[in-house]
Amino acid sequence: MSLIAPPLALYIHMPWCVKKCPYCDFNSHGLRSEPPPYADYINHLLADLDADRADFAAALEGRPVISIFFGGGTPSLFSPELIDRLLDGVRERLPLVDNAEITLETNPGTVEHGRFDGYLAAGVNRISFGVQSFDDDKLRRLGRIHSSDEAEAAVKSAQDAGYANINLDLMYALPQQTLAGALTDVARAVALQPTHISHYQLTLEPNTAFAANPPPLPDDDHAWAMQEACEAHLADAGYGQYEISAYALPDRRCTHNLNYWRFGDYLGIGAGAHGKLSDTGTGQVHRRWKTRHPRAYLEAAGGATRIGGDSVVSPAELPFEYMLNALRLIDGVPMADFAERTGLPAERIAAVLTADCQRGWLHDDPQRLRTTTLGQRFLNDVIASFLD
């Protein structure tokens, strides 16, 4: 088998936030007394992109970018003028498809009135708000810097500016949260009429403040009850679940995240950013990640020391890597995609597929790879079954 180049996206990491949340294990750094060098960072992002383009010229040739995602940290700390300059630089270096999806993650506590007009003019056509909850007590427990009223005002401000594609991030199974509380959060989110809702369980990640001092969280059974009830509420409101934690109105699924889950390719620029590229010439899947700390990244000035690591995904690891993404999709993926995007024959995973079907984790469908309801609940076990 040979690799077929999948769609290509671009991820841009903005590493600063106002304050580090106790549950967060992302590469984010709270603001200190001296403001971050925002303008200088934009220059380094473009230098980073130039260097990656040179290193992967053959793999990138003739491939347009379908989506751009500004993640963090809090990208909305960067002014619309800086985002505009960066996007202009990206367009000069990479071809974009018409109407490419361009998402900016936003903290409701960092936006200023009128800034959404500037982001929209710069080309950002999708806003993702990190709301997490509409319960002010829960927001305080999560270390968030905004209130529920501020979250609602920020969403309405973006809508007034002309944004028609908005995502809200919500968590459930929060400290001492009840089923009624989780449903209230979903109801308040739906009332704002976003096009997309990401609804995911709070988990205790290593090396976070919550991991060191765990708050009182609902047990697994209560968390599962919240997930099922909230999923039903979202479905009744017209939000179809298409991934374990993603719900969207018709035709509003997130292009960027779908590309991840379908084992697509993406360049990653910025401190700690990860990228994945398929080289059809060599038949290899290549991963690259950048040095994590903003200071070290800036000091690299687009040079080789900006790279935190490079690796080629071995054939033994490819089935697990592929399933880690694809099995999150509720509708699954065509079975043929496995061979096209890994370069491995489907026979490579035949025995595991048979075993997982017998366990009731996967549908017995030779044309489509898809988890059952039971498989979705025990997704980590299903994915682990593909470890070599």
Side-chain angles (χ1 to χ4, degrees), residues 40-251:
D40 195 32
Y41 189 75
I42 298 298
N43 297 333
H44 285 73
L45 287 172
L46 292 174
D48 189 359
L49 181 56
D50 282 335
D52 275 1
R53 286 172 60 235
D55 290 345
F56 300 118
L60 293 173
E61 186 175 0
R63 300 175 66 185
V65 170
I66 64 168
S67 64
I68 299 173
F69 196 100
F70 290 91
T74 303
S76 54
L77 288 173
F78 286 73
S79 70
E81 293 75 21
L82 289 177
I83 297 297
D84 184 44
R85 179 156 69 85
L86 177 55
L87 286 175
D88 280 346
V90 170
R91 294 186 191 100
E92 291 171 359
R93 291 161 171 82
L94 294 171
L96 271 62
V97 301
D98 292 340
N99 300 314
E101 178 189 271
I102 303 178
T103 302
L104 183 88
E105 285 189 334
T106 305
N107 185 319
T110 64
V111 294
E112 298 172 4
H113 183 69
R115 287 172 69 102
F116 290 115
D117 294 335
Y119 291 133
L120 191 63
V124 175
N125 52 31
R126 184 174 183 269
I127 293 289
S128 180
F129 284 102
V131 175
Q132 314 311 354
S133 177
F134 289 96
D135 182 317
D136 287 335
D137 175 67
K138 297 296 183 283
L139 289 170
R140 283 190 292 271
R141 286 171 177 259
L142 293 173
R144 304 299 290 174
I145 64 171
H146 67 272
S147 68
S148 58
D149 288 344
E150 287 171 333
E152 290 183 344
V155 174
K156 291 174 182 176
S157 179
Q159 291 167 333
D160 290 343
Y163 275 97
N165 199 4
I166 293 175
N167 170 67
L168 303 185
D169 282 349
L170 280 183
M171 288 182 175
Y172 67 94
L174 304 179
Q176 296 182 320
Q177 188 177 44
T178 63
L179 175 58
L183 284 169
T184 297
D185 273 351
V186 168
R188 291 188 66 176
V190 167
L192 290 170
Q193 299 180 305
T195 50
H196 191 285
I197 294 175
S198 297
H199 185 253
Y200 52 99
Q201 182 177 348
L202 172 62
T203 55
L204 302 182
E205 302 294 344
N207 302 315
T208 63
F210 270 4
N213 295 287
L217 301 181
D219 60 29
D220 289 344
D221 288 339
H222 283 89
W224 181 250
M226 290 178 191
Q227 180 179 331
E228 287 191 310
C230 291
E231 178 183 325
H233 187 107
L234 287 164
D236 289 344
Y239 293 85
Q241 184 183 21
Y242 67 100
E243 187 266 345
I244 290 295
S245 59
Y247 304 76
L249 295 179
D251 301 319

